[in-house]
Amino acid sequence: MANEQQYRLRVRYGKDGRLAYLGHLEVLHTIDSSIRRSRLPFSVGNGFARRMRVQFSQALPVGASSKAEYYDLVLTEPIEPEVALERLRASTPSALAPTKAAYVERRAPALEAWLTRSDWHAELEGTGITAEALDAAIAAVAETGAIHYMRGEKPKVADLTRTLVSWQCAQSGDVVELSLQTRSSNEGALRPAILIDAAFSAAPLAGAQLAALRVTREMQAHEEGARLVNPFDENLVISLT
Amino acid sequence: MRPERRDRFRDLEPLLGKVSHPARYLNHEWGAVEDQPGPFHVCMIYPDVYEVGQPNLGIAILYNELNKVEGISCERSYLPWYDMGDLMREHGVPLLSLEASAPVASFDMVGFTLAHELVASNIVETLDLAGIAIRADERDEEDAIVVAGGPSAWNCEPVSPMFDAVLLGDGEEGIVDMARCVRDCRAQGVSRSDILLALSRVQGVYVPSLYDVVVDETSTEEGYAVPKPGSGVPEVVLKRCLQDFAASDPVPQKMVPYMGIVQDRLAMEVLRGCARGCRFCQAGMTYRPVRERNADQIVEGTLRGLELTGNDEVSLTSLSTTDHSQCALVLNRLTSELNDRGIRVSIPSQRLDSFGVDMAAAVSSGRRGGLTFAPEAGTQRLRDVINKNVTEENLEAAARNAFENGWRRCKLYFMMGLPTETDEDILAITAAAKKVLEIGREVVGRGYKSGVQVSISVAVFVPKAFTPFQWCGQLNTEEVRRRQQLMLHSAKDRDIRISYHDANVSVLEAVLSKLGRRGFDLIMAAWKRGCRFDAWTNEFKFDEWVAAGEEVGIDFGEIAWRDLPLDARLPWDHTSPGISKGFLKREWRRALAGVTTEDCTFATCAGCGVCPSLGVENVIAEGHRG
Ligand code: SF4
């Protein structure tokens, strides 16, 4: 398609309920077929495989929910964003439903590397967990500067000096709520569950037992100096007319 | 006691974070029927993990048919992988359905797909995890009615003690009749034994408990089944056959799984049945007659299915897609519609001739992976014995056509241990591979860079019920090994690669194919020794199976390797796909004489007995084939 028109539609979607347990590839696969079902005029790559031109933001850990995941989809016709959003909503499983869509600059940077900041909300339930103890435990982990953990068979290191931005803990009945701000670097992102795991090995939470953990990504943004740029920032979004 | 029907997802949820592939257990896929009002509830089960079972067309068809009926709802379930199964047992969570997360044991009717022989131990595991009594005769009045059906129902004796009823043949109408029958009986407060009696009156339904197994001088030690006195059940249960196949929904699989599954594409069943008459092929004998959909229906159904599911590939499935009388037309229409949209069309295998290669080229849109052919036997003599109506010239023309069309790699499927096979036939396998390689080098060029490669894959022949080879013994393992060595040493070219299927798997398949009802003791003993997921190469524990056999007095070699007398009554004689025993015997004699029998969709009726006994006939879209 040498001279087809191309319009880059940015879509925000959530990941909710039991679909939190979908892996990243499963989400991509599901959204791919949702887009096909929507019958939007998507652009197809030129390679042998003839893939749909769509790019996603960074993988969300399995088990985490989200209110702010993104993909950029290239369309060959300028469908009104509201119309496109409606069609995508109708063709996507509700737990992955898109919540916002707008066209962005054709040459805007790719989402995956560009979205470097995430805000998380976690709820912890179990025995011996208090907001204060969790706060102190995370501080103790942060102090060490890095977390060494295993991912499958592979040893991994999370560099906290780069990736852990800040956190706040609050008590709400039996549930401890954690707000967490993280940054991804070239080496990777900090998964909230890894930090929380490490915190339970730290002294302030000695003897505490985690029974249930719910993690939600609340926000993603690009960090530009001290400023956080939203994926739908007015400097990025373009109107069709 | 049947457990209460309620949503138990909350009990399962805490386990999801601890298992591999949690998506197996999530459900609510696009296209699933989430609303399950009942009040009569059926659960269809494929006894393997989700990603293996989900693509199964049979279950998709029955799921739709049952959910269409007012007052009947149908859900699905699969066997959890070890990690999840163990956790469920540990936490007291029974097997649940996907749609409503209700205990499988709470359903009114539970149906299993008998996809192949090797699911036997998984059925036991599934029932146990569900908390349903494994043996039908141990179930209580109120317990779920457990039924089965599918390709491997042809000889279902070894698994039959687990089932209240088995449906033979095409399931789409029969399953609804069965559900209605159970529902009506339950509404009238009929006893369990009377429900089974009522089920035995439904055409195509075999109720194992209403038959006694008799061993006498007319049978082998596997015996034969006769109606229990006074039961009034038929001596022979004839299969169901859907004559108006073309009127059925062409795209039954409307669900889009989250996880990458084994066959991640839209399946369009273009035709059912195959009358080529390969004498080793059970499906060819048991799915007759041939019924085609027409080109319009295939193209329209495909486009609709793609819209509904968002799949990026469609597979035209059947036992012999390239035999469809409008195959070229269908492929041309589909590829011209779909190529620009990045949607691939695939056909599962091609006919071994030039036409087959043309069809493969038509759908490949420039991609040239390996091309697969199945000559099955190396010499013309042996191909005539098995009635694989393919000549040397066919193979050579197909290979030439393939290389000229840009393919570089050919894969050839063969069987070893076919009746009457000699060393000459074995050596002919590698000779055929060399010939194909030679043609490739001639067309493409010699030298390493040409990339021409031929691989041969050799499976051990498994004699199956309702084929002309049902009386044959399997080749014993020692002889299999010797012939494998012979073959390996005869193929010296580095561009010929040989691979074998595990001969032990074939032995177990043969044993389960040939045993009568006492085979169930073997299955139970093997399950108790930890056998399950036997179809998974890494999970298959042959030694445990053999030890289980010793425990219950079943010698594998004796069962698998011996020939059966032609006039013996066989353990599966009371079930029938409509093929007459006389035809099978005639075919066996013709095989020994090396005389072939023509495909009745290309030539005249071969007298297999299916059409007259079932009151059906071949339906060919174009009016004729060839
Ligand atoms: S009865 Fe005749 S026409 Fe019918 S399937 Fe058999 S051989 Fe073919």
Side-chain angles (χ1 to χ4, degrees):
Chain A
M1 315 301 127
N3 44 16
E4 76 174 17
Q5 298 294 310
Q6 298 198 331
Y7 306 88
R8 181 165 164 184
L9 185 73
R10 176 158 293 176
V11 179
R12 183 182 69 200
Y13 67 99
K15 187 180 177 209
D16 190 22
R18 56 180 78 180
L19 293 203
Y21 291 96
L22 288 190
H24 189 55
L25 287 177
E26 292 161 351
V27 171
L28 305 198
H29 170 78
T30 303
I31 289 179
D32 186 280
S33 62
S34 304
I35 294 169
R36 288 176 191 278
R37 285 192 295 267
S38 75
R39 300 172 73 191
L40 287 173
F42 57 81
S43 171
V44 174
N46 293 324
F48 258 163
R50 315 236 53 204
R51 288 188 197 292
M52 174 189 298
R53 292 187 213 262
V54 57
Q55 290 185 319
F56 288 81
S57 57
Q58 250 172 48
L60 184 69
V62 176
S65 307
S66 175
K67 294 177 181 161
E69 301 302 298
Y70 297 88
Y71 60 83
D72 283 350
L73 171 67
V74 179
L75 298 183
T76 56
E77 286 168 39
I79 308 284
E80 281 300 326
E82 297 73 33
V83 175
L85 180 65
E86 212 23 71
R87 276 165 68 177
L88 287 169
R89 285 182 73 87
S91 68
T92 307
S94 56
L96 289 172
T99 49
K100 189 169 179 166
Y103 288 96
V104 296
E105 293 284 355
R106 185 73 189 90
R107 288 177 207 295
L111 286 164
E112 189 171 359
W114 185 72
L115 287 175
T116 44
R117 280 285 300 270
S118 291
D119 283 3
W120 306 86
H121 179 80
E123 292 178 3
L124 296 85
E125 279 176 73
T127 49
I129 315 171
T130 63
E132 273 153 43
L134 179 64
D135 188 57
I138 294 179
V141 174
E143 191 78 357
T144 65
I147 302 174
H148 297 262
Y149 65 101
M150 298 295 287
R151 187 149 169 212
E153 309 273 273
K154 280 194 207 142
K156 290 260 178 188
V157 186
D159 172 8
L160 298 180
T161 58
R162 283 279 310 142
T163 57
L164 178 60
V165 178
S166 55
W167 72 92
Q168 304 80 38
C169 301
Q171 192 81 35
S172 141
D174 288 344
V175 179
V176 174
E177 299 192 24
L178 166 68
S179 299
L180 182 65
Q181 293 78 42
T182 64
R183 179 189 292 117
S184 59
S185 65
N186 287 342
E187 282 87 62
L190 173 63
R191 290 156 178 262
I194 298 294
L195 179 68
I196 292 167
D197 240 25
F200 275 79
S201 308
L205 278 174
Q209 285 280 340
L210 184 63
L213 171 66
R214 283 176 294 277
V215 176
T216 308
R217 175 139 69 187
E218 299 281 327
M219 188 225 46
Q220 292 196 76
H222 172 69
E223 192 172 31
E224 207 170 78
R227 192 170 92 92
L228 291 185
V229 184
N230 179 300
F232 289 108
D233 188 90
E234 57 185 21
N235 291 326
L236 290 168
V237 170
I238 51 172
S239 79
L240 288 174
T241 46
Chain B
M1 259 288 281
R2 187 141 41 121
E4 174 201 357
R5 179 180 166 84
R6 67 185 169 92
D7 185 340
R8 294 197 60 180
F9 189 74
R10 289 230 147 265
D11 299 327
L12 194 72
E13 197 172 8
L15 313 180
L16 291 174
K18 302 178 184 166
V19 299
S20 56
H21 305 295
R24 283 170 175 157
Y25 314 104
L26 296 182
N27 88 74
H28 294 206
E29 304 101 310
W30 186 261
V33 180
E34 283 178 38
D35 197 22
Q36 293 283 339
F40 188 83
H41 295 279
V42 183
C43 187
M44 296 300 306
I45 299 181
Y46 189 103
D48 205 315
V49 289
Y50 174 88
E51 65 270 30
V52 175
Q54 207 282 338
N56 183 268
L57 257 194
I59 288 205
I61 292 172
L62 305 191
Y63 181 83
N64 296 339
E65 291 304 315
L66 287 165
N67 276 316
K68 261 196 258 173
V69 182
E70 182 70 36
I72 297 177
S73 294
C74 180
E75 306 182 32
R76 297 159 298 149
S77 188
Y78 302 92
L79 180 59
W81 190 244
Y82 294 97
D83 55 356
M84 184 55 122
D86 290 348
L87 280 171
M88 288 169 78
R89 283 197 172 94
E90 197 181 303
H91 289 81
V93 184
L95 183 67
L96 306 178
S97 66
L98 278 186
E99 282 76 0
S101 302
V104 166
S106 74
F107 281 73
D108 296 294
M109 192 164 111
V110 172
F112 281 89
T113 296
L114 303 173
H116 48 75
E117 290 84 9
L118 297 180
V119 294
S121 65
N122 277 8
I123 298 173
V124 183
E125 172 72 359
T126 308
L127 287 168
D128 189 66
L129 201 55
I132 296 175
I134 292 166
R135 293 189 64 100
D137 57 15
E138 287 169 357
R139 286 178 202 136
D140 289 338
E141 274 299 319
E142 288 305 314
D143 284 348
I145 301 287
V146 182
V147 306
S152 194
W154 303 111
N155 191 18
C156 60
E157 280 308 285
V159 289
S160 67
M162 294 187 278
F163 301 117
D164 294 299
V166 178
L167 177 61
L168 305 174
D170 295 333
E172 41 266 271
E173 295 171 341
I175 193 75
V176 173
D177 291 348
M178 289 172 92
R180 285 202 170 114
C181 171
V182 175
R183 178 191 63 185
D184 295 348
C185 287
R186 288 288 194 202
Q188 292 158 21
V190 169
S191 72
R192 191 176 187 90
S193 57
D194 283 342
I195 294 177
L196 300 190
L197 207 54
L199 277 171
S200 76
R201 310 280 190 257
V202 176
Q203 204 243 303
V205 176
Y206 162 51
V207 176
S209 61
L210 296 177
Y211 292 77
D212 287 325
V213 175
V214 178
V215 183
D216 63 23
E217 67 291 348
T218 67
S219 71
T220 66
E221 67 262 51
E222 301 310 321
Y224 59 98
V226 291
K228 280 213 160 95
S231 64
V233 294
E235 258 167 53
V236 174
V237 182
L238 206 54
K239 77 167 182 183
R240 286 295 275 256
C241 181
L242 183 68
Q243 171 68 71
D244 201 1
F245 167 71
S248 66
D249 183 354
V251 275
Q253 186 55 277
K254 297 177 172 46
M255 245 174 270
V256 187
Y258 296 117
M259 66 189 305
I261 52 167
V262 176
Q263 298 147 26
D264 200 354
R265 48 181 102 99
L266 183 73
M268 154 64 68
E269 194 186 9
V270 293
L271 65 94
R272 196 174 286 179
C274 171
R276 292 215 149 218
C278 297
R279 291 176 178 134
F280 55 84
C281 179
Q282 192 183 43
M285 297 293 161
T286 57
Y287 278 96
R288 292 173 180 218
V290 173
R291 291 144 287 165
E292 293 183 352
R293 295 185 196 284
N294 68 39
D296 288 342
Q297 202 193 10
I298 294 169
V299 173
E300 279 157 28
T302 299
L303 298 180
R304 193 160 46 80
L306 289 168
E307 252 166 46
L308 226 61
T309 59
N311 273 314
D312 62 359
E313 180 171 353
V314 55
S315 173
L316 305 183
T317 71
S318 77
L319 294 170
S320 57
T321 297
T322 34
D323 280 339
H324 192 289
S325 61
Q326 298 175 314
C327 184
L329 175 71
V330 166
L331 293 183
N332 286 337
R333 279 178 61 184
L334 280 180
T335 48
S336 67
E337 284 272 358
L338 299 176
N339 265 358
D340 278 353
R341 288 153 58 179
I343 294 174
R344 289 184 300 278
V345 180
S346 63
I347 45 179
S349 62
Q350 45 278 320
R351 194 158 112 180
L352 214 179
D353 58 14
S354 251
F355 177 77
V357 178
D358 290 344
M359 294 302 102
V363 298
S364 67
S365 66
R367 288 171 300 129
R368 291 288 185 269
L371 204 55
T372 304
F373 297 112
E376 309 290 4
T379 57
Q380 194 60 50
R381 182 199 69 79
L382 192 52
R383 282 197 295 272
D384 288 346
V385 168
I386 63 175
N387 205 43
K388 182 89 198 179
N389 285 317
V390 158
T391 61
E392 211 96 324
E393 294 77 56
N394 289 147
L395 174 59
E396 286 170 19
R400 186 170 299 279
N401 191 353
F403 289 118
E404 283 172 357
N405 264 289
W407 272 282
R408 294 293 172 267
R409 283 180 293 125
C410 274
K411 186 163 193 180
L412 305 174
Y413 279 102
F414 289 95
M415 266 188 271
M416 177 177 281
L418 288 163
T420 77
E421 183 182 87
T422 64
D423 285 359
E424 196 188 320
D425 299 301
I426 298 296
L427 295 173
I429 292 178
T430 41
K434 279 183 192 150
K435 181 78 209 177
V436 170
L437 187 66
E438 206 31 60
I439 293 173
R441 287 175 174 163
E442 202 184 297
V443 174
V444 186
R446 280 156 209 283
Y448 190 65
K449 285 219 182 79
S450 75
V452 174
Q453 225 180 66
V454 178
S455 54
I456 45 190
S457 168
V458 187
V460 178
F461 162 68
V462 179
K464 299 249 170 133
F466 298 105
T467 67
F469 293 163
Q470 64 179 354
W471 296 279
C472 301
Q474 189 176 43
L475 188 65
N476 71 64
T477 308
E478 202 180 311
E479 185 58 19
V480 167
R481 300 255 144 83
R482 188 190 67 80
R483 292 186 197 182
Q484 284 177 343
Q485 285 309 313
L486 177 67
M487 193 159 95
L488 274 177
H489 291 303
S490 69
K492 291 257 163 357
D493 202 304
R494 64 176 154 70
D495 290 327
I496 296 180
R497 315 211 159 155
I498 303 183
S499 62
Y500 296 109
H501 290 209
D502 182 350
N504 288 337
V505 173
S506 305
V507 172
L508 179 60
E509 284 173 331
V511 166
L512 291 172
S513 298
K514 294 205 152 207
L515 279 171
R517 207 174 279 187
R518 70 177 178 132
F520 180 65
D521 299 339
L522 169 69
I523 294 166
M524 270 310 272
W527 173 73
K528 285 185 182 147
R529 291 175 161 271
C531 294
R532 55 214 63 173
F533 294 110
D534 294 302
W536 292 65
T537 313
N538 293 335
E539 305 302 326
F540 180 60
K541 305 181 188 79
F542 187 64
D543 294 345
E544 293 298 334
W545 273 98
V546 172
E550 279 161 13
E551 213 174 275
V552 299
I554 289 176
D555 181 284
F556 275 30
E558 203 176 293
I559 302 295
W561 301 334
R562 72 161 170 208
D563 293 330
L564 303 176
L566 266 191
D567 51 4
R569 299 182 75 164
L570 301 173
W572 49 85
D573 277 352
H574 60 299
T575 59
S576 169
I579 288 259
S580 77
K581 207 170 184 178
F583 172 77
L584 296 178
K585 282 186 187 167
R586 193 164 76 234
E587 280 295 286
W588 169 238
R589 291 196 199 96
R590 288 169 75 97
L592 292 181
V595 179
T596 60
T597 300
E598 277 190 290
D599 180 333
C600 64
T601 60
F602 286 87
T604 53
C605 172
C608 77
V610 167
C611 294
S613 67
L614 297 169
V616 293
E617 58 185 9
N618 289 328
V619 179
I620 306 301
E622 191 70 29
H624 62 87
R625 277 176 167 178

